[in-house]
Amino acid sequence: MKINFLLVSLSFLVSVAQAQTEGDNTLSKKEKAEGWKLLWDGKTSNGWKSTKGDNFPATGWSVDGGVLKVLKSARGGDIITTTKYKNFVLKVDFKLTEGANSGIKYFVSQSGIGCEFQVLDDEKHPDAKAGVEGNRTLGSLYDLIAAAPNKPYKNGEFNTAMVVVNNNHVEHWLNGVKIVEYERNTQMWRALVNYSKYKKYADFGNATEAPILLQDHGDEVWFKNLKILAK
């Protein structure tokens, strides 16, 4: 899958405008023509299951008015897609409640360990001050690479996370701005992992393909407009 990152950025801005006019959890004609797919239909749990079994969690998650919600303190557990992905552009709209913590993971193992686009209230959650030099803040590759400090986060509103994977090249974007960039499966990558909390996991983050995961960290977080362009 060959990805033109300038076109990805322009496509992001166009898709935001289209979502505002065409409604949530839908694909525009342009997106359909490009090959985008909805990861969530906005109404059911189809396409998702618990990391602990083959069914969607009975508690801890709800579908409410076109929004997929993690419910506070219910702890239904993380959910993953029933399909695995290799090269892709993933877009997820998320909204944090005060002090909330969650995450969007990719290249996860069966236990749910994997690369994480951190979803966090940097001002109110203590994890933002942990880790090394901000590598647990919103948009960071959790516990590995800190997001750009001037990231364009909109407090109290829906924000759009985007993860671009082109073989070993990976980028995190927030609201159309690139905030993290890295290469997997390199000597530098292995050194980075060995200095993190993931050092005990063999071959962390180096999977060829894996599901997408949404994290239940016990805080209320809202998701919608989950879309993927994959090959």
Side-chain angles (χ1 to χ4, degrees):
M1 182 181 183
K2 190 174 182 180
I3 299 173
N4 183 310
F5 294 106
L6 175 60
L7 291 181
V8 166
S9 182
L10 293 174
S11 176
F12 170 87
L13 297 174
V14 170
S15 68
V16 169
Q18 289 172 335
Q20 292 172 344
T21 59
E22 298 184 14
D24 291 328
N25 307 309
T26 61
L27 294 173
S28 67
K29 291 181 179 179
K30 182 176 184 297
E31 287 174 326
K32 290 177 181 178
E34 291 174 344
W36 287 87
K37 303 292 183 183
L38 285 176
L39 276 183
W40 181 56
D41 62 15
K43 300 175 183 178
T44 71
S45 61
N46 292 345
W48 293 83
K49 66 176 186 176
S50 171
T51 55
K52 303 173 184 178
D54 293 331
N55 299 318
F56 194 82
T59 61
W61 294 81
S62 74
V63 175
D64 183 5
V67 177
L68 180 62
K69 295 182 179 181
V70 189
L71 303 180
K72 185 174 179 61
S73 303
R75 299 313 293 259
D78 299 342
I79 58 174
I80 57 173
T81 57
T82 55
T83 300
K84 296 180 179 180
Y85 298 96
K86 181 178 179 180
N87 289 319
F88 57 85
V89 181
L90 168 70
K91 290 191 286 189
V92 178
D93 289 353
F94 68 91
K95 183 178 179 180
L96 289 161
T97 56
E98 186 174 348
N101 184 353
S102 184
I104 302 164
K105 296 185 181 183
Y106 50 99
F107 293 128
V108 295
S109 64
Q110 289 185 343
S111 61
I113 301 299
C115 301
E116 178 179 351
F117 184 113
Q118 171 75 310
V119 175
L120 188 78
D121 182 345
D122 287 348
E123 296 299 321
K124 298 293 179 67
H125 197 285
D127 208 25
K129 306 297 189 296
V132 178
E133 296 184 353
N135 66 4
R136 295 187 181 182
T137 57
L138 174 69
S140 296
L141 175 62
Y142 181 73
D143 208 54
L144 292 163
I145 301 174
N150 58 341
K151 58 200 171 196
Y153 174 66
K154 298 177 290 185
N155 188 33
E157 302 179 33
F158 272 99
N159 294 264
T160 301
M162 183 164 69
V163 178
V164 180
V165 175
N166 189 6
N167 295 315
N168 289 325
H169 185 85
V170 184
E171 298 187 356
H172 288 186
W173 295 61
L174 180 65
N175 296 326
V177 175
K178 183 168 61 177
I179 55 175
V180 166
E181 183 174 9
Y182 67 97
E183 299 283 338
R184 302 184 304 145
N185 283 300
T186 64
Q187 184 176 355
M188 179 68 73
W189 171 253
R190 289 188 290 273
L192 194 63
V193 172
N194 286 336
Y195 191 67
S196 76
K197 65 183 290 183
Y198 300 115
K199 60 184 178 182
K200 62 183 179 180
Y201 298 102
D203 212 27
F204 169 84
N206 288 332
T208 301
E209 62 177 11
I212 306 299
L213 180 151
L214 296 181
Q215 185 182 49
D216 173 6
H217 207 278
D219 300 316
E220 185 169 338
V221 180
W222 301 5
F223 298 102
K224 66 178 182 178
N225 296 326
L226 285 77
K227 304 178 181 182
I228 195 162
L229 176 62
K231 289 189 179 181

